[in-house]
Amino acid sequence: SQTIHQWPATLVQPVGSPLSLECTVEGTSNPNLYWYRQAAGRGLQLLFYSVGIGQISSEVPQNLSASRPQDRQFILSSKKLLLSDSGFYLCAWSVGGTGFFYGYTFGSGTRLTVV
Amino acid sequence: QKEVEQNSGPLSVPEGAIASLNCTYSDRGSQSFFWYRQYSGKSPELIMSIYSNGDKEDGRFTAQLNKASQYVSLLIRDSQPSDSATYLCAVRPNFGNEKLTFGTGTRLTIIP
């Protein structure tokens, strides 16, 4: 069966510090991968979307970036965090290619507080 | 801008009653529809998907889709306190586009 791992679970970082969040998927090949952010009391905002290694689509201009160095690994990064980057970061995967789309499976999330 | 709208609630329902959650979407070409449950502090969990007009039942949950009216609903029968959560409606715009658009969610509270 497929599983998605996301870490760390919580993170407190000072303004201006770097960020690296990692997500890995097991039990599937060539998944579509997503990074979402959920600010307190707000909806899910799609940040990045990837259909394959090195293929990243950015949905919202900001000081965040994403990379996909391996088929089942997705990394969210920032060089300098802002207070507005605080939120609940969620990685998700879906079946890639021409497979039937069953929706997303989310990781357990990272709660980031920028202080 | 493609939108998905939900009543933010909170929606309070007595234990044992039917909870009805509604969602409307703006893109008439949308193809697939999903309901996610999110407990406080946790990540969303997929509970129902529906792809064609009509009803789809899974245990105590029933999803209803009406593409002509552009709405999708979720009914929870015999509501339990464990059903208390935020329910997110998500819409897939069209085939070939796997980027779901989410509503802001409806917070449901089941009153014992």
Side-chain angles (χ1 to χ4, degrees), chain B residues 2-41:
Chain B
K2 306 297 189 289
E3 293 186 350
V4 177
E5 296 189 1
Q6 298 179 253
N7 186 325
S8 62
L11 175 65
S12 296
V13 173
E15 183 176 356
I18 296 175
S20 177
L21 304 164
N22 299 312
C23 170
T24 60
Y25 58 95
S26 61
D27 184 358
R28 185 170 292 277
S30 297
Q31 297 292 331
S32 309
F33 307 86
F34 305 88
W35 283 99
Y36 285 82
R37 177 177 63 199
Q38 186 175 23
Y39 292 116
S40 180

Side-chain angles (χ1 to χ4, degrees), chain A residues 34 36 38 59 101 104 107, chain B residues 36 38 43 51 98-100:
Chain A
Y34 312 83
Y36 277 83
Q38 188 175 40
E59 296 295 312
F101 182 73
Y104 296 167
Chain B
Y36 285 82
Q38 186 175 23
S43 63
Y51 305 97
E98 278 77 32
K99 292 183 285 186
L100 293 179

Side-chain angles (χ1 to χ4, degrees), chain A residues 32 34 36 38 43-44 46 49 59 88 90 100-104 106-108 111, chain B residues 32 34 36 38 41-44 46 49 51 88 92 96 98-100 102-104:
Chain A
N32 292 335
Y34 312 83
Y36 277 83
Q38 188 175 40
L44 288 165
L46 179 61
Y49 164 56
E59 296 295 312
F88 192 38
L90 291 157
F100 188 81
F101 182 73
Y102 294 98
Y104 296 167
F106 284 93
S108 55
R111 189 161 305 280
Chain B
S32 309
F34 305 88
Y36 285 82
Q38 186 175 23
K42 302 297 185 181
S43 63
L46 179 64
S49 59
Y51 305 97
L88 303 172
R92 180 189 186 191
E98 278 77 32
K99 292 183 285 186
L100 293 179
F102 286 84
T104 54

Side-chain angles (χ1 to χ4, degrees), chain A residues 5 10 15 17-19 23 25-26 28 33 37 40 46 51 53-54 58 63 70 72 86 94 104 107 111:
Chain A
H5 303 280
T10 59
V15 169
S17 65
L19 173 73
C23 170
V25 181
E26 295 179 356
T28 187
L33 296 173
R37 178 171 61 200
L46 179 61
V51 298
I53 296 174
S58 174
N63 69 320
Q70 301 180 40
R72 290 169 286 181
S86 294
S94 68
Y104 296 167
R111 189 161 305 280

